[in-house]
Amino acid sequence: MASSHTILLIQPTRRSDSRTYADFNSKTECLEGVCKMFEEHLKQQNPNSPSITYDISQLFDFIDHLADLSCLVFAAKTKTYVPCNKDWVKEEIYIMLRKQAGQ
């Protein structure tokens, strides 16, 4: 499922007009997109900081404080999109970052 087309559905605030989506060619690209979204959030909060560092717990807090975040991951076998919630996103990000750290 790593190379499956993935749609990220996100609602940053409780306001329904804050809903948006992004689509990615792979699950990994989508997970990296969530990390980049958090990094942009940190840059906005710390505009004068030359570099931004964070740990995974801060990233997970950011995800938890979004009004909604989910993914639809294409399953080639059934030719359908499988819905995945915040907990799945966090677990998959954890696995992805562990693999990157091990390289």
Side-chain angles (χ1 to χ4, degrees):
M1 212 147 96
S3 63
S4 299
H5 181 256
T6 304
I7 302 169
L8 174 67
L9 305 171
I10 185 163
Q11 182 176 343
T13 67
R14 296 232 179 264
R15 293 179 39 175
S16 63
D17 65 352
S18 73
R19 291 179 187 153
T20 190
Y21 74 95
D23 69 313
F24 299 89
N25 291 324
S26 70
K27 176 184 75 169
T28 301
E29 284 181 20
C30 178
L31 299 173
E32 289 171 348
V34 173
C35 293
K36 287 177 185 167
M37 188 182 349
F38 176 58
E39 290 164 6
E40 287 302 316
H41 170 75
L42 289 177
K43 286 178 187 176
Q44 288 176 358
Q45 286 189 327
N46 306 285
N48 299 323
S49 182
S51 65
I52 302 290
T53 59
Y54 62 91
D55 65 43
I56 199 164
S57 66
Q58 292 169 296
L59 172 60
F60 287 177
D61 284 345
F62 171 78
I63 291 170
D64 287 337
H65 284 92
L66 295 170
D68 194 15
L69 179 131
S70 57
C71 292
L72 299 171
V73 182
F74 186 72
K77 187 174 183 177
T78 59
K79 295 183 175 34
T80 61
Y81 282 87
V82 177
C84 303
N85 63 17
K86 285 181 183 182
D87 289 335
W88 178 89
V89 171
K90 291 190 296 186
E91 178 67 23
E92 292 297 316
I93 286 174
Y94 177 76
I95 292 167
M96 178 186 74
L97 294 176
R98 274 191 47 210
K99 283 181 185 174
Q100 288 176 356
Q103 290 179 349

